[in-house]
Amino acid sequence: MPGPAAAPQRHHGGPLGLSIAGGSALHGTVSFDVNHRPALWRHRDPATALLEPARRADIVFVGRDEAETLWGTAGPKEIRDLLAPAPVIVVKDAEHGATAYTADGGEVFVAAPHSRIVERVGAGDAFAAGYLAAHLEGRGVAAALRLGHLMAAAALATGGDVPTAPDRAELDRLLGLDDEEWQALRLG
């Protein structure tokens, strides 16, 4: 049985630094969702506190609107430039879609499908979960963005805490749509 794990190093004195340092020490992939909530930042500057772990993560998720609020960025490319050197930067732009920037200079945009909206809470978390699931399955960036959108759409169409996602066969079918079929997709 292995001994107790070493305590992660503190960076900038906050819990966000702990998770980044701990994940990096394990040589795994670290994802970070900026997920800015102004009410939680009464005694610290969130722009500075959230920028450092975002830059240190392997995959960063950030909403275009929250990046504008935090850092004054005007669009996805400016967000990419600010968050570099993060290897993968995913900029979510609500009902418009999401853009992923990759370490090799790639840029992939996938439009969000039209979705019924019952409740917005949890859609960003669901998007990140879908993206990460596809990433862990070894799917490409476009498929990861699509699965993120599909999971966000399931969350948007749910009034409760547990959305009903399509089954695996339906997800695979939806992920396999060509671009024209994806553009015409209506969910919920």
Side-chain angles (χ1 to χ4, degrees):
M1 178 174 206
Q9 296 177 346
R10 286 188 168 267
H11 292 274
H12 305 290
L16 298 175
L18 290 173
S19 66
I20 298 298
S24 296
L26 296 173
H27 305 289
T29 299
V30 175
S31 68
F32 180 76
D33 189 341
V34 172
N35 201 16
H36 176 240
R37 298 292 178 259
L40 300 177
W41 294 96
R42 295 182 190 161
H43 304 293
R44 271 183 90 178
D45 173 25
T48 302
L50 294 170
L51 185 58
E52 180 64 22
R55 285 180 170 161
R56 296 185 65 182
D58 299 302
I59 302 171
V60 181
F61 298 94
V62 62
R64 186 207 45 78
D65 58 340
E66 67 188 344
E68 183 178 358
T69 299
L70 281 168
W71 303 305
T73 54
K77 289 182 181 179
E78 194 173 333
I79 295 167
R80 176 204 58 203
D81 293 345
L82 176 73
L83 296 181
V88 177
I89 300 164
V90 179
V91 180
K92 304 172 290 178
D93 195 2
E95 68 274 0
H96 302 291
T99 305
Y101 297 97
T102 59
D104 63 3
E107 177 181 337
V108 178
F109 173 80
V110 172
H114 295 278
S115 305
R116 181 172 68 101
I117 300 174
V118 173
E119 175 62 56
R120 293 183 185 275
V121 173
D125 294 332
F127 179 93
Y131 183 97
L132 292 170
H135 172 77
L136 291 171
E137 290 176 350
R139 296 181 186 254
V141 174
L145 291 169
R146 282 186 175 194
L147 188 55
H149 285 312
L150 292 170
M151 294 299 97
L156 289 167
T158 303
D161 290 336
V162 183
T164 302
D167 64 27
R168 182 51 129 181
E170 178 64 1
L171 285 174
D172 287 339
R173 184 189 75 75
L174 293 169
L175 291 174
L177 295 175
D178 65 29
D179 290 340
E180 187 176 318
E181 293 169 321
W182 180 263
Q183 292 293 330
L185 186 60
R186 303 285 186 262
L187 300 170

